């Protein structure tokens, strides 16, 4: 008996390395933290810093260079098949100290969102970006609904309720803004710095 199996509805995400001066970027982020008060959004943890939307501030040179590079890539991603241009509407930095994490969320109103890693501790524990199945899909594929896995069954990518992505300095991750995601707690004392953003489309 031959039975073929197919997977449908895959979800995209993109990654790209960006050559920037990472130590200048780190310094600029600490300057921002010193001068602009934190804003709490999806961040958890006492040692977390979340800047307000930095589109509304005069930005330092390395951050400006980085944003140009990110925009270029998101424009290329979108224009692979579509006609519009992309516009940056919101970007902010996250500095996660020990215990810092982000609860599951999406970025309503945007088309493309993502993260760029500015500082990743060498001995990183935790702190992965997690892509999550939405609640409904998660339930439909749950053991409660589908039955129990056999002992020793190896999870296939499509069975997993979450897919981890390991941060890396200079790594850009882009995903559709509707894709649910969260950030695991940072389990070590050293801080992790990332920059997140939202893009919309315009004609
Ligand atoms: Fe996010």
């Amino acid at each position: 008996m031959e039975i073929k199996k197919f997977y449908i509805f895959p979800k995209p995400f993109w990654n790209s390395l960006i050559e920037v001066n990472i130590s200048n970027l780190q310094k600029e982020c600490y300057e921002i933290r010193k001068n602009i008060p934190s804003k709490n959004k999806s961040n958890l943890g006492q040692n977390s810093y979340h800047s307000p939307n930095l589109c509304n501030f005069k930005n330092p040179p390395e951050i400006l260079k980085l944003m140009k590079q990110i925009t270029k890539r998101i424009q290329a991603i979108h224009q692979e098949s579509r006609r519009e241009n992309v516009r940056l509407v919101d970007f902010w930095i996250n500095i996660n100290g020990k215990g810092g994490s982000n609860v599951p969320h999406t970025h309503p109103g945007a088309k493309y969102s993502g993260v760029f890693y500015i500082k990743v501790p060498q001995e990183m524990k935790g702190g992965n970006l997690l892509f999550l199945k939405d609640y409904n899909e998660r339930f439909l594929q749950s053991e409660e609904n589908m039955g129990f896995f056999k002992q020793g069954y190896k999870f296939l990518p499509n069975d997993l309720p979450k897919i981890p992505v390991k941060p890396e300095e200079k790594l850009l991750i882009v995903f559709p803004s509707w894709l649910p995601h969260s950030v695991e707690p940072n389990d070590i004392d050293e801080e992790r710095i990332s920059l997140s953003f939202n893009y919309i489309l315009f004609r």
Side-chain angles (χ1 to χ4, degrees):
M1 168 170 76
E2 192 192 17
I3 302 176
K4 286 183 182 172
K5 184 177 188 178
F6 302 92
Y7 283 106
I8 52 173
F9 303 132
K11 299 167 174 72
F13 79 93
W14 300 266
N15 70 22
S16 177
L17 285 171
I18 303 182
E19 267 318 313
V20 275
N21 186 324
I22 208 79
S23 65
N24 282 359
L25 262 182
Q26 292 172 3
K27 280 182 212 146
E28 290 177 357
C29 290
Y30 287 126
E31 273 302 299
I32 289 171
R33 178 168 69 178
K34 221 194 301 174
N35 297 320
I36 307 175
S38 181
K39 186 178 172 185
N40 278 332
K41 276 197 166 175
S42 61
N43 287 51
L44 289 180
Q46 289 178 329
N47 306 318
S48 291
Y49 173 79
H50 183 304
S51 78
N53 180 4
L54 294 175
C55 286
N56 302 325
F57 292 81
K58 189 175 182 317
N59 285 288
E62 207 60 39
I63 285 192
L64 285 177
K65 260 189 245 167
L66 172 67
M67 295 323 294
K68 260 193 195 160
Q69 291 297 319
I70 293 177
T71 301
K72 212 164 118 184
R73 282 162 173 78
I74 293 181
Q75 182 88 337
I77 287 167
H78 184 71
Q79 291 187 346
E80 190 192 347
S81 57
R82 309 291 170 105
R83 294 181 191 207
E84 298 89 349
N85 289 299
V86 300
R87 178 184 290 149
L88 175 67
V89 285
D90 194 6
F91 79 98
W92 63 96
I93 58 165
N94 297 287
I95 303 180
N96 275 0
K98 194 170 186 178
S101 65
N102 296 74
V103 295
H105 63 282
T106 58
H107 295 208
K111 288 288 176 193
Y112 295 96
S113 299
V115 58
F116 178 79
Y117 294 103
I118 295 173
K119 184 173 185 293
V120 178
Q122 296 250 306
E123 301 289 313
M124 199 189 75
K125 282 195 192 124
N128 286 320
L129 169 67
L130 300 175
F131 288 123
L132 309 166
K133 279 189 177 159
D134 70 56
Y135 181 78
N136 204 24
E137 190 178 0
R138 230 163 136 170
F139 169 73
L140 292 171
Q141 282 193 266
S142 68
E143 291 198 324
E144 192 186 337
N145 191 56
M146 290 283 289
F148 291 94
F149 282 112
K150 284 185 173 171
Q151 219 180 5
Y153 175 81
K154 285 210 173 66
F155 275 100
L156 295 169
N158 221 49
D159 299 324
L160 295 170
K162 49 192 174 189
I163 305 280
V165 178
K166 199 172 179 309
E168 200 182 299
E169 281 176 16
K170 302 183 183 179
L171 178 65
L172 172 74
I173 308 277
V174 179
F175 48 87
S177 304
W178 48 260
L179 193 62
H181 58 282
S182 63
V183 179
E184 288 177 335
N186 176 17
D187 284 339
I188 57 164
D189 287 322
E190 201 179 332
E191 289 172 328
R192 192 164 59 76
I193 306 179
S194 58
L195 179 147
S196 305
F197 48 80
N198 288 319
Y199 283 79
I200 58 166
L201 303 181
F202 75 99
R203 287 179 189 224

